Amino acid sequence: MSVLGKTWRYINEGNAHIVIGIQEERLCSAYVLRLIKEDEEAVDVNELRKSLDFVNFIMNPLLYNGSVCKLEIIELPTEELPGLINDLKPFRPTERLSKFCISPYSIKTRNLTVLNPDGVNYCVEIKPKEGFMAQCFRNYGKCYYCLKQYLKLRQNEILNISKYCPLDLFSGDRDRMKSALYHLSENPQNNFKIFKNGQIIYKMPNKDQFHEIIKKMHIFKSTSAFFSFTIETLLYKNKHTQIDNHSDDVTFIKENIHCHTTSNLNEGTLLYKIQRLQRLAEELTISTDNLEDKSLDYVSSLLEHIDPENSLHCATEQEKFLEKIEPLHKALISAVAKDCSIMIAFTPQLIVDYEYFIQVGENMIPFRASVADLEPKLPKVLRKREKMEKKLVEIYEEQLKNEGNSTPFGDQN
């Protein structure tokens, strides 16, 4: 099986894309192609270009200090598509097979699950979700993610409510962060995955399997040490960091009462940068009545605010940009940051002259923390969010009433 004359392997897929790794002569794929599903309508290459420009020139610079690998448009020969669709079929989940047409346009990007193509690679994918409590939920003491658990339970999307709270992950408090990661791994709901050499090896709740996977990495003596390593990658600030590689596992017992809003993230950390963008819409009041739901024209307007000489790779230019743009555009950038994925790739092998590593016990573990899923949202997401907020409050008030507790939590500052 080949694409553009190179061997590929199926990695994963979502509602919009099928991700395949392109094999070089090395063990792991250095880059991936995101094949675009187009059963409903053909891909508009101009809209696709806007989408990639948004990622390359706006979102990536806002989240990184240095340069990153840019996304590119790759055009596949149309005569190859039928064979590719047929070859993909055995690897795809049954529930995804209803969408079977693929656009000739695909997106080429770095394989964020791979750090060292010549060695063994692991990657943790975390969808952290909204890391602060929206003003409209403060009287209930619950964040957006935790309130949405009640909706998912009602709709039979989940068997039980997750004890993961994004506010714990974004707290900057290592104990709360470890509790968050523990509960996320215990009940992932597609928000926590582990990859080995580009292939998913953990995504479903299975405590025994999770412990075994961490053990077989031959890096961490316990899942607690693994969580500590993950936390340090999220709080990394260009300095030598060391964690104890202890053998004691911990269990967190947490009651789903109220979300804690205190946060002490240091500027410059990856979590701080994500949360800063998420908070852009916190004080805004935006009318959703006259939005052009299916247009990415606003991306062109945003790009006009960027100085081509300086781009957005320094804090001063970023602040200027965020001050100049319209409230609607701030809200749409915020919506992207609330739904992004963090990819933490690492390898047991030492990489010569590599800059980023964390010392785990006696071993230096190179890593790279990246952010994915940064494509622009259509304006209709703001209307959808507005409706969802009202629905979540209604469901939670019903829940409180059924439990015999109709008293709101009170304003939490």
Side-chain angles (χ1 to χ4, degrees):
M1 299 182 292
S2 68
V3 172
L4 301 174
K6 295 187 176 180
T7 304
W8 59 267
R9 67 175 177 177
Y10 176 91
I11 294 179
N12 196 15
E13 70 180 278
N15 190 48
H17 300 100
I18 301 172
V19 183
I20 60 173
I22 304 301
Q23 297 289 106
E24 303 288 354
E25 293 181 359
R26 298 174 175 181
L27 174 64
C28 297
S29 307
Y31 68 90
V32 298
L33 286 183
R34 288 162 53 188
L35 307 173
I36 304 171
K37 302 176 186 180
E38 62 169 18
D39 287 78
E40 295 175 2
E41 56 184 71
V43 170
D44 183 330
V45 70
N46 292 320
E47 292 289 286
L48 180 59
R49 190 168 287 111
K50 285 180 190 175
S51 180
L52 269 58
D53 285 347
F54 179 84
V55 177
N56 290 333
F57 302 118
I58 297 174
M59 293 305 298
N60 273 339
L62 287 173
L63 291 169
Y64 295 85
N65 288 323
S67 60
V68 296
C69 181
K70 289 185 177 181
L71 278 63
E72 302 175 43
I73 297 175
I74 299 294
E75 187 171 3
L76 302 174
T78 53
E79 63 270 17
E80 286 189 12
L81 296 182
L84 178 58
I85 291 169
N86 189 59
D87 290 341
L88 281 166
K89 191 173 180 180
F91 303 99
R92 300 180 61 197
T94 305
E95 66 271 17
R96 298 288 189 184
L97 291 176
S98 59
K99 291 187 176 182
F100 55 86
C101 291
I102 295 173
S103 169
Y105 300 107
S106 63
I107 302 169
K108 177 184 176 183
T109 185
R110 172 188 288 169
N111 188 345
L112 297 179
T113 68
V114 171
L115 181 62
N116 178 14
D118 289 320
V120 177
N121 293 267
Y122 294 100
C123 179
V124 181
E125 178 183 354
I126 299 169
K127 288 188 79 72
K129 299 300 182 178
E130 190 168 312
F132 67 98
M133 190 179 292
Q135 187 67 38
C136 59
F137 300 138
R138 286 182 175 262
N139 281 347
Y140 302 93
K142 290 280 190 181
C143 70
Y144 183 83
Y145 178 88
C146 290
L147 283 174
K148 199 168 183 181
Q149 291 292 298
Y150 294 96
L151 173 63
K152 287 187 170 185
L153 191 65
R154 176 175 289 193
Q155 295 177 339
N156 296 317
E157 294 179 28
I158 57 175
L159 295 175
N160 49 66
I161 286 176
S162 171
K163 294 179 182 178
Y164 167 70
C165 177
L167 275 61
D168 288 334
L169 187 67
F170 282 90
S171 68
D173 179 292
R174 286 171 170 79
D175 288 337
R176 285 177 61 193
M177 293 176 73
K178 187 174 284 191
S179 172
L181 291 173
Y182 172 85
H183 292 301
L184 190 57
S185 66
E186 188 179 50
N187 191 351
Q189 297 182 21
N190 208 37
N191 297 318
F192 181 89
K193 298 179 183 131
I194 299 178
F195 297 78
K196 180 179 180 181
N197 294 335
Q199 298 293 102
I200 295 174
I201 56 174
Y202 183 80
K203 67 176 181 178
M204 300 297 290
N206 185 321
K207 189 175 292 187
D208 292 337
Q209 183 195 26
F210 180 71
H211 280 268
E212 193 63 23
I213 286 171
I214 302 305
K215 181 181 177 182
K216 287 183 177 179
M217 289 181 183
H218 302 296
I219 300 173
F220 310 103
K221 292 183 179 178
S222 65
T223 54
S224 180
F226 165 74
F227 291 140
S228 294
F229 169 81
T230 305
I231 289 166
E232 295 308 322
T233 65
L234 297 172
L235 300 178
Y236 194 79
K237 285 197 68 178
N238 298 322
K239 64 179 182 179
H240 178 211
T241 303
Q242 182 175 4
I243 65 167
D244 292 330
N245 196 8
H246 51 81
S247 57
D248 297 326
D249 275 313
V250 292
T251 300
F252 293 89
I253 300 173
K254 180 179 177 180
E255 297 297 330
N256 289 301
I257 305 174
H258 302 301
C259 305
H260 299 287
T261 60
T262 53
S263 178
N264 189 31
L265 286 172
N266 290 323
E267 289 189 31
T269 61
L270 184 58
L271 285 180
Y272 177 88
K273 293 177 184 180
I274 293 172
Q275 190 189 63
R276 178 185 67 149
L277 297 186
Q278 291 182 347
R279 285 183 177 273
L280 286 177
E282 191 173 5
E283 304 296 332
L284 300 179
T285 302
I286 298 169
S287 173
T288 60
D289 295 338
N290 299 311
L291 292 180
E292 295 184 28
D293 284 352
K294 296 186 178 181
S295 172
L296 288 181
D297 288 346
Y298 73 88
V299 173
S300 300
S301 301
L302 284 171
L303 291 168
E304 290 174 2
H305 289 292
I306 299 175
D307 182 346
E309 295 293 324
N310 298 313
S311 72
L312 293 179
H313 286 295
C314 72
T316 303
E317 291 301 319
Q318 290 181 13
E319 291 304 318
K320 287 181 183 177
F321 171 77
L322 293 174
E323 286 175 8
K324 286 189 293 187
I325 63 177
E326 297 177 18
L328 171 63
H329 299 161
K330 288 183 181 179
L332 289 166
I333 289 174
S334 169
V336 173
K338 290 170 182 173
D339 202 32
C340 69
S341 298
I342 300 172
M343 310 291 289
I344 304 165
F346 57 98
T347 177
Q349 286 91 20
L350 190 64
I351 303 175
V352 178
D353 297 328
Y354 190 74
E355 184 178 359
Y356 303 105
F357 64 87
I358 289 172
Q359 187 171 342
V360 181
E362 300 298 319
N363 300 317
M364 301 295 187
I365 306 300
F367 78 94
R368 180 186 64 233
S370 311
V371 187
D373 299 332
L374 296 175
E375 287 76 10
K377 301 287 188 183
L378 292 171
K380 65 180 181 181
V381 302
L382 302 182
R383 185 179 291 114
K384 182 180 178 182
R385 168 66 185 236
E386 192 174 58
K387 292 179 180 178
M388 182 60 73
E389 286 177 353
K390 294 177 182 177
K391 189 171 186 178
L392 296 183
V393 167
E394 289 172 3
I395 289 172
Y396 190 57
E397 286 182 339
E398 287 180 23
Q399 180 75 18
L400 290 175
K401 189 175 180 179
N402 292 335
E403 292 175 356
N405 177 16
S406 58
T407 305
F409 177 63
D411 191 21
Q412 203 181 42
N413 296 310

